[in-house]
Amino acid sequence: MGRYLSIWLPQLLADRTVLLDPDLQDKAFVLTRAQRGRVMILVASDAAIREGIVPGLVLADARAVLPGLLVFGDKPGQAEELLTGLALWCLRFTPVAAIDPPDGLVLDISGCAHLWGGEVAYLKELLHRLRQAGYRARAAIADTIGAAWALARYGQDNPVISPGTQLEALLALPPAALRLEPLVLERLQKLGLYRIGHFIHMPGTVLRRRFGPQLTERIGLATGQLIESCEPVLPAPIYQERLPCLEPVRTRTAIDIALRQLLQQLCNRLLQERKGLRHAVFKGYRIDGALEQVSIGTNRAVRDVAHLLKLFEQQLATITPALGIELFVLEAPVVEELPVQQETLWQDPGGERDTQLAGLLDRIAGRMGEGAIHRYLPAEHYWPERAIKAALSLQDKTTTAWRTDRPRPVCLLPLPEKITVSVPIPDYPPLSFTSKGQLHRVKKADGPERVECEWWLDQDRVRDYYYVEDEQGARYWLFRSGQYDEHTPEWYLHGYFA
Amino acid sequence: MNGFMSKSEQVQALQREILAMQGFRVRPEREQQDTGLGIINQSFPHHTFPANAVHEFISGAPEEAAATSGFMTGLLGKLDRSGRYLWVSTRRTVFPPAIRLLGLAPDQVIFVDAASNRDALWAIEEGLKCASLAAVVGEVRDLSFTESRRLQLAVEQSRVTGLIHRSGSRLPGVTACVSRWRIRPLPSQTAEGLPGVGFPRWQVELLKIRNGKPGVWQVEWTVSGFRIACLEQAAAVPVLQRTA
C-alpha cells in the first residue's frame, strides 16, 4: 500500500491576492462572481470573515454589513491554475503530484519521505516551505487518499497516521470528512450520526439503502478497501534518478559531481534493463523555487557515462545556481533497446555501430543544435531543389541510385539569382549575360534541359536549363523560367559548375 | 671511396631523416595509394600525396570556389578511404547530386552548418580528431596560424585527411597547413570542334608544399579521373607565396 499526503489550502485565493498586493494584508476584501443575476461572494479574507462575511453571501448583503469592503472580481479557473503551479513546485518532494480542486493537492509520497528523514520531518518541511511562500496550509499523511484528505481538513492532533491505522483515526471525525454530498450529510445529521464512528461499522447494505451508494464507496476509499488513484500533473518519468543535497549546492564542481553520480545510477539501471537513452534532461531545483534544466539528445541509444558527461558539459555553464540548488533530477524521457554487446576490440570505421562517429555528431549537435547536421539521400524528382531529401539517421540507406546522366553544378545557389541576358532566338542559349553588373560572353553552351515543375506538388513555371561557359572558362548553370509564348521569360543563374 | 658520399648525397640522406621525423614516413609500396594525380605526385615529398595532413585551398570569386570544390571532391574520391566524410561550412552551397559526378558518394558525406567561423573551426577540429572519419572538408573564411596548428596537431594523432577551403579570404597569411593550393577554372576543350561544353578543366597551382616543389598544372576531370598536363613545372614562385 502506498503513502499519500493531502494538502489543504483553505484560503488559497485570498492568500494569492495578498501575495500579489501586500497592502491587502489584514484588510477585509472579497472575491466575487456573478451567479444567476446576483453577485455572490466566493472567497472572503480573514478580516472579512471576522466581520461575519462568509463565502456564499450575496455581495449586496455584505456591503450592508461592512460598507468599506473591498471587492475584486474572480477569474474563472484561477484556483486550478494556481494549484497546478503548486503541484509542479511539489515535484521536488515527489515525482507524483496531483491537484485536488478546488483547494487541495495530493502527493503520492511512497518511498520519498526517508530522503527528508522520515514522514514527520517531510511534512514539516513541506508546510514550512508553503508558509514561507505565503500560503497557509494543512496537510496529513495516510495510507489512502481519502483518509489523508479527511485528516488534513478535520484532523485534530496527529497529522501522520501510521500505516494500517487509518480506520481508528477516522472514527472521531465528522461525516463531512468523507467527501459526501450535502444531501447525504443532512440526512446523517438528522439521524444524529455526528461522527464517522457512529455509522462506519453498520452493514454496507443498510447504509446503501438509506443513504445511496456514495456513502459506502467513500467509506471504502477512506479505509483502503477500494483503490483510489490520482492523475498526476506530469506523468511520472520511468527513468529518473534523484539526488537531494544536504545543503544547497552552488559550485560548478559540486554540480559536476551530482551529474556524474546521477549518470552512473541511471546508466547502471539502463544496463540492467538492456536499454540506452536517446534524450536526457538534467534538472536542478533551486531553493528560491526556480527550476534550472539542460537537456541533451543523442544520435543512437547510449549508456556510456563518459560520453553523456561530455554532452552535458557543453551546457552545464548555463545553469545558474543563484542561492543554491537543493535537488538534482536526471530523467531519460526517451529510451531505446540497446542490447549488451562485446566492447569493440577493433575500430569499425564507417560501420553502423561506429560509436566514435556517433559521439562526434552528438557533440556537434550539442553545441550547434540538431538542425546543424544534415545527410542527404537522392529523391526521385527532376526539380533540382527537390532532388535530395534529408536522411533520418546515420543508418538510412539509399533506395534509388544517384543520377549521373545529367550535368549538375557543384555549387547550387540557395535562391536563383536574376540575370539579364541577350538571346538571339528562342530556345537558343544566351550570347551573353550580366550577373552582379559583370558581363559574361558565352563561348560554349549545352542545353536546353527542360525541367517541368511537378504540378501535384507545386505550381511554378517550367525551366529550361543551360550549361554555359564564358570566355574565362568559368562554367554556369542558367535557366529560363517560363515559355516564350505563354509568359515573358525570366533568366536566372542557379549554380556554378566545377 | 665508398665511405664518402658526395655533398648532394649527404644532403639528401639528411633530408630523408628530417622527413621521417616530421611524419612523412616512407610507407611500403603496397600501402601507397595512387590518388591519380600522376605528374603532380612528383612535387610531394616521397612522391606521394600527403593524405594524413591538412591542406589549404584558397579561392576568390564563386566561380573559383566551385572549381576548388570540384577539385577537392575529385581528390577525396580518389583517396578511396572507407568511412564517412564530414563537410563543415558556414555558408553551404555544395549540391550533393553533383558530388556523385565527381566520384564521391554523397550519402557518405555528413554536412554540418556552422553559424560562425568559430563554431566551424571547432567542428573541423573535433572531426579531425575522430579517427573513424575518412576526411574532413572545412569551408571557412579565416584561418589563423594558431588555429591551423591545432588542426595539424589533431591530424597527426588521428591520420584523417583535412581539406580547408578558404573562400573570399583577402589575406591568406601564414598557416601550419602542409600545402596551399589555388584552383582556377580554364576553358574546356572539346574534340574536333564539337559543340557543347567539355570536361571540367582547371589550372591547379600548388603554391606551397612543405618539403616539396610547388608547381602549376592543367587538370581535366574526365570520366576516368584526373588527366593532367604539365603547364610549367616549378614555375616562377607565385606571387601569393611571396606576399605570405
Side-chain angles (χ1 to χ4, degrees):
Chain A
M1 179 147 285
R3 295 289 282 169
Y4 293 93
L5 191 153
S6 178
I7 304 173
W8 182 37
L9 302 140
Q11 284 288 57
L12 175 69
L13 288 173
D15 286 344
R16 179 70 183 168
T17 315
V18 171
L19 277 178
L20 291 177
D21 185 359
D23 292 344
L24 291 173
Q25 183 85 42
D26 302 329
K27 294 244 172 73
F29 65 87
V30 289
L31 301 185
T32 58
R33 184 187 291 172
Q35 274 174 349
R36 294 186 200 141
R38 299 180 304 172
V39 181
M40 306 287 288
I41 292 174
L42 275 187
V43 176
S45 68
D46 292 355
I49 289 173
R50 276 198 296 277
E51 298 292 335
I53 296 165
V54 290
L57 214 62
V58 180
L59 178 63
D61 297 348
R63 279 232 165 96
V65 174
L66 193 70
L69 187 68
L70 296 164
V71 180
F72 304 100
D74 164 65
K75 275 183 284 171
Q78 198 194 2
E80 280 79 5
E81 215 171 281
L82 268 175
L83 285 175
T84 309
L86 284 171
L88 290 175
W89 175 83
C90 284
L91 288 181
R92 68 188 59 203
F93 287 99
T94 166
V96 185
I99 63 167
D100 181 15
D103 54 4
L105 294 170
V106 175
L107 313 184
D108 182 349
I109 61 159
S110 319
C112 293
H114 71 276
L115 297 170
W116 276 263
E119 287 177 343
V120 178
Y122 182 88
L123 189 74
K124 214 172 134 193
E125 172 74 10
L126 180 62
L127 290 179
H128 174 63
R129 285 307 189 73
L130 277 172
R131 260 173 220 140
Q132 258 187 344
Y135 293 101
R136 280 163 292 170
R138 281 172 57 97
I141 296 176
D143 275 357
T144 63
I145 295 176
W149 193 95
L151 285 151
R153 281 152 182 84
Y154 298 95
Q156 291 301 326
D157 38 284
N158 181 17
V160 179
I161 306 303
S162 44
T165 59
Q166 64 269 24
L167 186 61
E168 291 81 56
L170 284 170
L171 293 179
L173 301 183
L178 287 176
R179 297 178 280 176
L180 296 169
E181 280 174 9
L183 199 69
V184 181
L185 288 178
E186 203 180 310
R187 212 173 283 164
L188 287 166
Q189 181 81 20
K190 272 183 191 161
L191 293 172
L193 303 170
Y194 306 125
R195 297 267 170 269
I196 293 176
H198 292 161
F199 57 85
I200 200 163
H201 294 298
M202 291 180 189
T205 47
V206 175
L207 287 177
R208 198 177 296 119
R209 199 169 62 234
R210 286 254 178 192
F211 305 100
Q214 198 200 20
L215 181 60
T216 46
E217 187 200 328
R218 297 290 174 173
I219 290 174
L221 289 177
T223 53
Q225 284 155 355
L226 297 175
I227 303 293
E228 186 173 8
S229 63
C230 55
E231 195 176 326
V233 275
L234 277 185
I238 300 171
Y239 291 93
Q240 189 195 47
E241 295 294 334
R242 302 166 77 90
L243 181 72
C245 308
L246 283 174
E247 274 177 26
V249 153
R250 296 184 59 187
T251 61
R252 170 67 192 261
T253 325
I255 296 175
D256 278 346
I257 293 170
L259 176 61
R260 184 183 292 272
Q261 196 174 336
L262 287 173
L263 278 173
Q264 197 75 54
Q265 290 169 4
L266 186 68
C267 289
N268 280 345
R269 189 169 153 211
L270 288 170
L271 180 66
Q272 280 168 8
E273 301 184 17
R274 304 190 171 194
K275 289 201 162 63
L277 64 86
R278 287 290 306 271
H279 184 71
V281 188
F282 179 57
K283 295 180 181 170
Y285 287 87
R286 270 175 21 190
I287 50 172
D288 59 358
L291 173 66
E292 292 285 323
Q293 63 176 22
V294 292
S295 63
I296 55 142
T298 63
N299 271 297
R300 51 193 288 285
V302 174
R303 55 165 176 255
D304 177 17
V305 176
H307 177 55
L308 291 170
L309 207 57
K310 223 175 217 173
L311 293 181
F312 270 118
E313 259 170 16
Q314 294 174 342
Q315 297 187 35
L316 273 189
T318 63
I319 291 186
T320 40
L323 290 171
I325 294 173
E326 54 179 349
L327 171 69
F328 290 100
V329 173
L330 181 70
E331 284 171 11
V334 186
V335 295
E336 277 179 8
E337 293 293 323
L338 179 64
V340 181
Q341 62 198 26
Q342 170 80 45
E343 298 290 320
T344 42
L345 296 173
W346 60 90
Q347 276 303 319
D348 172 23
E352 289 194 358
R353 289 184 294 160
D354 190 343
T355 50
Q356 213 179 351
L357 179 60
L360 169 73
L361 295 181
D362 286 348
R363 274 190 313 249
I364 292 178
R367 174 152 168 166
M368 303 182 192
E370 261 328 307
I373 300 174
H374 302 276
R375 199 178 139 247
Y376 297 103
L377 299 178
E380 288 178 322
H381 293 288
Y382 284 102
W383 200 253
E385 284 91 338
R386 284 197 277 266
I388 50 172
K389 61 181 178 194
L392 296 175
S393 72
L394 270 181
Q395 282 79 41
D396 254 9
K397 297 254 181 357
T398 52
T399 45
T400 52
W402 292 92
R403 288 185 71 108
T404 52
D405 52 344
R406 298 274 170 203
R408 287 289 177 263
V410 74
C411 292
L412 189 81
L413 297 175
L415 270 180
E417 195 183 296
K418 208 161 182 186
I419 51 171
T420 52
V421 296
S422 61
V423 196
I425 29 176
D427 290 342
Y428 260 62
L431 282 175
S432 67
F433 67 95
T434 313
S435 156
K436 287 184 183 156
Q438 208 187 345
L439 181 75
H440 301 272
R441 287 178 206 290
V442 174
K443 285 283 163 196
K444 300 191 182 84
D446 264 335
E449 178 193 345
R450 170 154 301 184
V451 180
E452 291 271 1
C453 187
E454 292 133 321
W455 54 261
W456 58 96
L457 294 174
D458 197 3
Q459 295 287 329
D460 210 336
R461 297 179 178 182
V462 314
R463 291 174 177 181
D464 277 347
Y465 276 98
Y466 294 91
Y467 175 16
V468 302
E469 184 180 283
D470 71 358
E471 72 268 44
Q472 261 107 43
R475 287 166 281 270
Y476 304 91
W477 211 30
L478 313 178
F479 72 85
R480 192 193 62 230
S481 173
Q483 288 173 350
Y484 276 101
D485 46 355
E486 285 174 21
H487 333 88
T488 14
E490 288 172 329
W491 286 81
Y492 293 93
L493 169 64
H494 203 181
Y496 301 95
F497 280 92
Chain B
M1 283 169 70
N2 291 343
F4 289 103
M5 290 186 284
S6 72
K7 210 168 204 175
S8 62
E9 278 172 350
Q10 278 183 343
V11 169
Q12 275 180 5
L14 283 172
Q15 267 179 347
R16 270 199 297 277
E17 269 180 51
I18 293 171
L19 279 180
M21 285 178 201
Q22 285 182 336
F24 294 91
R25 285 183 207 88
V26 194
R27 285 185 288 176
E29 225 23 71
R30 62 188 159 78
E31 260 189 45
Q32 285 192 6
Q33 9 173 259
D34 183 20
T35 45
L37 283 174
I39 197 163
I40 301 182
N41 277 334
Q42 292 180 10
S43 283
F44 302 127
H46 298 311
H47 301 309
T48 319
F49 178 74
N52 309 320
V54 179
H55 300 265
E56 183 189 6
F57 293 78
I58 51 175
S59 68
E63 293 88 343
E64 265 185 44
T68 310
S69 297
F71 181 75
M72 287 196 307
T73 315
L75 201 60
L76 289 180
K78 286 285 170 193
L79 281 179
D80 196 27
R81 293 267 203 92
S82 63
R84 314 239 178 180
Y85 301 83
L86 198 69
W87 196 296
V88 184
S89 49
T90 45
R91 280 168 305 165
R92 177 161 55 88
T93 55
V94 70
F95 187 47
I99 291 180
R100 174 76 266 181
L101 296 167
L102 290 157
L104 192 67
D107 41 287
Q108 290 292 315
V109 183
I110 297 160
F111 294 97
V112 175
D113 296 329
S116 65
N117 211 53
R118 205 163 142 249
D119 273 355
L121 284 167
W122 174 83
I124 294 168
E125 193 186 330
E126 290 289 314
L128 288 175
K129 282 180 192 162
C130 178
S132 65
L133 282 174
V136 177
V137 179
E139 292 177 330
V140 289
R141 181 177 275 272
D142 299 309
L143 183 72
S144 71
F145 181 79
T146 328
E147 286 155 357
S148 66
R149 184 88 192 110
R150 288 179 66 101
L151 302 187
Q152 183 62 36
L153 287 175
V155 161
E156 280 169 16
Q157 291 292 317
S158 65
R159 336 262 321 145
V160 177
T161 309
L163 305 182
I164 306 295
H165 180 184
R166 299 170 63 191
S167 177
S169 169
R170 221 168 284 152
L171 286 170
V174 184
T175 60
C177 299
V178 79
S179 69
R180 175 176 289 166
W181 304 72
R182 185 165 189 129
I183 321 291
R184 291 190 176 89
L186 281 180
S188 63
Q189 288 178 341
T190 48
E192 302 294 324
L194 283 173
V197 186
F199 291 123
R201 207 173 153 79
W202 308 299
Q203 175 178 315
V204 174
E205 277 179 70
L206 183 55
L207 301 172
K208 284 199 317 190
I209 170 82
R210 204 189 296 158
N211 304 310
K213 280 180 298 196
V216 182
W217 304 269
Q218 277 190 8
V219 176
E220 206 171 41
W221 178 262
T222 65
V223 278
S224 57
F226 292 117
R227 189 158 71 202
I228 292 143
C230 177
L231 200 65
E232 349 163 31
Q233 178 83 38
V237 183
V239 185
L240 273 160
Q241 199 191 3
R242 243 181 273 141
T243 55

